[in-house]
Amino acid sequence: MTTTPFQKASQWIDAENAQDPNIEIHESISFPKELLYSNRMWEKLMDFFPSASEEIQIAAKAQHICRWKIARESYPMDRVGYLKWREDLKKFHAKTTAQILEKAGYDIDFIARVSFLIEKKLLKKDAETQLLEDVICLVFLEYYLAPFVEKHDEEKLKNIILKTWNKMSENGHQAALKIHYTPENLQLIKDALGL
């Protein structure tokens, strides 16, 4: 049985993410946190845009690859520190993924395109970068908004929801409004967006 470069790359990305020491419980099962996130990203992409290219499928899976290796705490705990951390993470994710893709047998153009997407270049201008951003936002709203709500006050939450919304396309907005939220969180979203 021949294994395609895509299958190899997917397995190796999963193997890296499976080493995450941080655990998240989903439906009473423990998962390495970034492996669960990676699976959610890929599933959401295929649900939202079934004809997604291989490049964007890999970019979605590898969006947070080995994220735990660069701790937020290793940067100043202010806005500047946060932005620097995010920027360094993007480069780290792109580089880690590029090494896997090279090993899997992909050519230099394919690898460059995946890196471009992971680094979220030309957001709003490049259709696939925008698609990836939509998927990131949809995964956040579906799986990570509820835990966020428990940690932050209403004004901060409204601000986060509005920022998330502004990053999305019209198609992303339509999909976001179809997600099954708790009544409280749906109201919070509507209040944030003035709906």
Side-chain angles (χ1 to χ4, degrees):
M1 180 180 150
T2 55
T3 314
T4 64
F6 181 76
Q7 287 167 322
K8 281 185 202 163
S10 295
Q11 285 164 3
W12 291 337
I13 290 165
D14 285 349
E16 288 293 332
N17 280 329
Q19 294 173 48
D20 190 352
N22 304 296
I23 297 299
E24 191 172 325
I25 311 288
H26 176 63
E27 293 177 351
S28 307
I29 301 169
S30 298
F31 291 91
K33 188 178 169 196
E34 294 308 346
L35 180 62
L36 183 61
Y37 180 79
S38 173
N39 291 337
R40 285 169 169 170
M41 282 290 296
W42 187 79
E43 284 163 15
K44 180 59 74 183
L45 172 68
M46 299 320 287
D47 178 50
F48 180 62
F49 198 82
S51 60
S53 68
E54 265 187 41
E55 289 92 336
I56 193 147
Q57 287 185 53
I58 287 171
K61 276 189 78 67
Q63 185 60 32
H64 279 183
I65 189 166
C66 299
R67 193 179 188 89
W68 66 92
K69 292 184 178 179
I70 301 183
R72 171 67 186 97
E73 293 71 37
S74 59
Y75 290 79
M77 295 306 282
D78 56 16
R79 178 93 186 131
V80 175
Y82 174 74
L83 293 173
K84 176 85 175 88
W85 173 64
R86 289 291 300 266
E87 210 43 51
D88 288 351
L89 273 174
K90 280 189 221 169
K91 290 183 181 131
F92 168 70
H93 297 322
K95 189 177 170 189
T96 306
T97 308
Q99 289 164 345
I100 288 173
L101 295 180
E102 200 174 334
K103 200 169 74 167
Y106 280 108
D107 66 32
I108 193 162
D109 291 340
F110 186 97
I111 296 169
R113 181 65 182 158
V114 173
S115 295
F116 175 96
L117 292 168
I118 289 175
E119 291 187 41
K120 293 201 277 194
K121 292 187 174 168
L122 293 182
L123 185 59
K124 299 279 184 197
K125 294 191 180 81
D126 183 278
E128 286 192 318
T129 302
Q130 184 57 54
L131 172 57
L132 185 63
E133 187 64 52
D134 279 343
V135 172
I136 291 165
C137 293
L138 290 169
V139 166
F140 168 71
L141 289 168
E142 183 162 350
Y143 297 104
Y144 301 98
L145 177 64
F148 238 75
V149 167
E150 290 162 23
K151 290 186 204 153
H152 299 287
D153 65 68
E154 194 172 323
E155 278 319 299
K156 178 154 190 186
L157 288 164
K158 283 184 184 172
N159 192 20
I160 289 166
I161 290 165
L162 199 54
K163 277 187 180 159
T164 302
W165 202 256
N166 289 338
K167 289 180 191 168
M168 296 167 84
S169 69
E170 188 46 45
N171 286 347
H173 293 158
Q174 300 297 328
L177 291 171
K178 290 181 188 144
I179 291 171
H180 184 73
Y181 303 100
T182 64
E184 297 79 14
N185 287 351
L186 180 59
Q187 192 54 55
L188 181 68
I189 290 167
K190 286 183 170 174
D191 289 348
L193 303 175
L195 296 177

